[in-house]
Amino acid sequence: MPEIPQGWAADDAGTQAPEPEHVVAPDSLARVLLAAASRALRREDCADLGRQPTLSRFRRTPQPVRRLAVARAGSRAAMSVPRAGEIDAERVARWMVDHYRARWYPGMVIGSPHGAAVHLATALGVPWLPSAFEVTVQWPKGCVDNPVGALAQGAQVAARIIAGNPGVGIRQVHDPAVRGVLAGSTVSLVVRWRGLPGPYRRFLGNHLAPGAPVLLLRDARTWPALDSGPGHTFQVGSPASGLAPADFLPASKVLDQLLRGLGGDPARWELPGAVSPPGYAEHGVEPGFEASLRDWVQGRGGPLHRILAPRPEALSAAVADAYRGWLRSAGKSGNRCVVECGRLLDPWQVVRAGLVPYWCENASRRSVAGAEWWLAGSSPFTSVDVLPESPGMRSPALAGLPQWLAVASFGSRRRAVDRVAARGYPLTPMPTRRATEVLRGQPYDLPTPPPLRVVDALAALRDSGSPQGLLVC
């Protein structure tokens, strides 16, 4: 095991593994999606998900003061280095499956975090589980313009996590375009299971109906990464930023603008070394995880269906089309749409109101343009409600409010961008419950349809997604 660097007090460590709710990053997408998915299966909305994102704090203070305050708040919410070394990934998996009630389920959706996957699971009446979880760890002397230092800090932490959890791999992401000043006070580690964890196996064995299908979603986006050590890889930037890998090179004007806006110095930006050819990005599924899931499902006599998404927009469009067909087959109009964004979603309220959900990964121009293209190619909707999630910072890749208004303009009778979310855009992220508050205002469309059959869902995904590169097999 690597030696503990100076200032890392080993005696600060606890005597037992930290609680999973203190391990999984509170602002991480997978954690919010898990909470929303489990509530939807209980026919509950997300009104209790009221955590204010860290980047939403201190919004009335001057920018230099706000940046420092947000960085300190993020560090306080992150794990200390000694405690991060005591993470028990199996315990985290058990905490995740415990979100769901003990009963038989007619299937399962599992894999990369994606809001449309959660909507699909809700329509099918099955759980959704992630194939990884995100951890943020304190970086006391960090700065947003120092990816070399971030790698050094992350490598030490990753080595300790892997030593105690040999069944995981870790992808570290240093992305100031997504994490803002938090990228200078904490390091972000995506802990990916390399095989199906024990609690998942037990949950499937005890609660998956015999012969029931499992759907595995794989985010197929690629990004350059550096092999730092056994089980640890490091990437600068990410597909979620809305930028290209070239935008994170030292000579990039986009990077210059981004770092100066975060109080960093572009002249100090230096990449840690040569990277490998692009492979799957941080939300990709480990090959061993897929292989062990396939072996388990086939051993039980059930089918495993893989869904490979080259872009988040492809799955969002396909699931939205599947919802429309599902609603219409139940005698509903399917002519009211809600465009959600990031953590602003509520699967149960969508079903209760009979809405067609389209999910944007974030507020990047690329992501919002995907919603525009889908709406432009769809038969008209009478109403389009839009929930733009503020990223909590300004970014060169950010969609402006006019682009969000253009999305809403596809409604023939009702065109609405949530005023509360728009008022704080782009510096004030809203908690997930804001989506619930907005969707509760939609008229009820009861009774809810009977659960969507897996065979019909797969057919709809193939029909709608294939032209966009979505692979369903």
Side-chain angles (χ1 to χ4, degrees):
M1 180 178 293
E3 294 181 359
I4 298 177
Q6 185 177 4
W8 292 19
D11 56 5
D12 287 342
T15 57
Q16 62 181 21
E19 294 295 328
E21 56 265 32
H22 300 145
V23 171
V24 183
D27 291 342
S28 62
L29 177 61
R31 179 165 182 164
V32 173
L33 294 181
L34 179 63
S38 58
R39 282 162 173 75
L41 280 196
R42 299 194 299 268
R43 304 173 73 87
E44 297 174 4
D45 60 26
C46 299
D48 61 329
L49 299 183
R51 174 184 162 79
Q52 291 287 342
T54 303
L55 288 175
S56 71
R57 302 175 188 179
F58 315 105
R59 57 186 179 274
R60 292 185 176 87
T61 57
Q63 276 304 306
V65 177
R66 181 178 184 268
R67 287 195 296 263
L68 181 60
V70 168
R72 288 177 174 173
S75 182
R76 287 195 298 269
M79 299 195 72
S80 68
V81 171
R83 291 297 276 166
E86 299 173 346
I87 289 174
D88 184 343
E90 291 287 298
R91 193 177 184 189
V92 172
R94 185 166 61 250
W95 173 75
M96 288 180 168
V97 298
D98 284 347
H99 279 68
Y100 294 99
R101 289 176 175 169
R103 64 178 179 86
W104 287 107
Y105 293 101
M108 173 78 68
V109 179
I110 194 167
S112 304
H114 194 294
V118 170
H119 281 297
L120 178 62
T122 300
L124 296 170
V126 305
W128 173 84
L129 288 171
S131 57
F133 60 94
E134 185 178 334
V135 179
T136 54
V137 183
Q138 294 170 354
W139 184 18
K141 296 183 179 180
C143 50
V144 72
D145 53 26
N146 185 14
V148 174
L151 172 58
Q153 177 82 352
Q156 295 283 351
V157 179
R160 283 169 163 69
I161 296 176
I162 293 172
N165 301 272
V168 305
I170 294 179
R171 172 64 59 87
Q172 181 181 350
V173 182
H174 183 75
D175 189 354
V178 170
R179 303 190 65 237
V181 294
L182 298 179
S185 63
T186 61
V187 295
S188 176
L189 308 175
V190 181
V191 182
R192 307 193 295 202
W193 284 290
R194 289 180 156 179
L196 196 63
Y200 279 28
R201 290 176 181 271
R202 290 188 290 274
F203 181 77
L204 290 169
N206 294 333
H207 304 298
L208 190 65
V214 175
L215 278 61
L216 173 67
L217 169 64
R218 285 180 47 189
D219 185 334
R221 289 178 293 180
T222 60
W223 199 265
L226 171 71
D227 288 327
S228 170
H232 176 229
T233 52
F234 177 81
Q235 70 181 56
V236 176
S238 70
S241 66
L243 301 174
D247 293 321
F248 293 92
L249 297 177
S252 167
K253 293 182 179 179
V254 172
L255 178 67
D256 185 288
Q257 178 185 347
L258 175 66
L259 292 179
R260 291 187 188 278
L262 296 173
D265 182 359
R268 293 201 297 259
W269 183 268
E270 179 184 353
L271 297 181
V275 298
S276 303
Y280 290 126
E282 69 272 20
H283 292 314
V285 175
E286 290 283 342
F289 184 93
E290 178 179 338
S292 63
L293 177 62
R294 181 181 61 247
D295 292 344
W296 190 94
V297 173
Q298 292 178 348
R300 296 270 297 190
L304 175 67
H305 301 282
R306 297 188 304 154
I307 304 171
L308 277 68
R311 300 171 293 109
E313 299 82 20
L315 183 64
S316 293
V319 170
D321 288 337
Y323 254 68
R324 200 171 200 183
W326 175 50
L327 293 172
R328 287 179 170 176
S329 67
K332 302 179 184 298
S333 71
N335 285 338
R336 293 187 298 136
C337 175
V338 58
V339 177
E340 304 165 318
C341 182
R343 296 154 188 81
L344 290 184
L345 81 169
D346 191 320
W348 171 243
Q349 286 294 341
V350 164
V351 171
R352 186 229 15 119
L355 301 174
V356 174
Y358 182 97
W359 182 77
C360 294
E361 180 181 38
N362 51 36
S364 68
R365 287 193 300 270
R366 182 183 303 168
S367 185
V368 182
E372 291 181 279
W373 281 109
W374 173 73
L375 285 164
S378 301
S379 57
F381 287 92
T382 56
S383 72
V384 176
D385 282 81
V386 179
L387 297 168
E389 182 186 43
S390 296
M393 54 179 284
R394 301 187 188 279
S395 166
L398 186 66
L401 277 177
Q403 190 174 0
W404 285 110
L405 291 168
V407 172
S409 71
F410 283 95
S412 62
R413 297 178 184 174
R414 173 182 168 84
R415 311 170 184 90
V417 176
D418 177 39
R419 293 183 179 181
V420 174
R423 191 180 303 129
Y425 190 87
L427 298 179
T428 310
M430 296 284 107
T432 300
R433 71 179 179 195
R434 179 58 198 166
T436 304
E437 294 166 355
V438 172
L439 295 177
R440 277 181 172 178
Q442 294 282 345
Y444 281 57
D445 192 0
L446 299 175
T448 59
L452 177 64
R453 296 191 310 160
V454 171
V455 63
D456 294 331
L458 294 174
L461 293 179
R462 290 189 183 101
D463 182 59
S464 174
S466 293
Q468 304 182 64
L470 192 73
L471 177 62
V472 181
C473 55

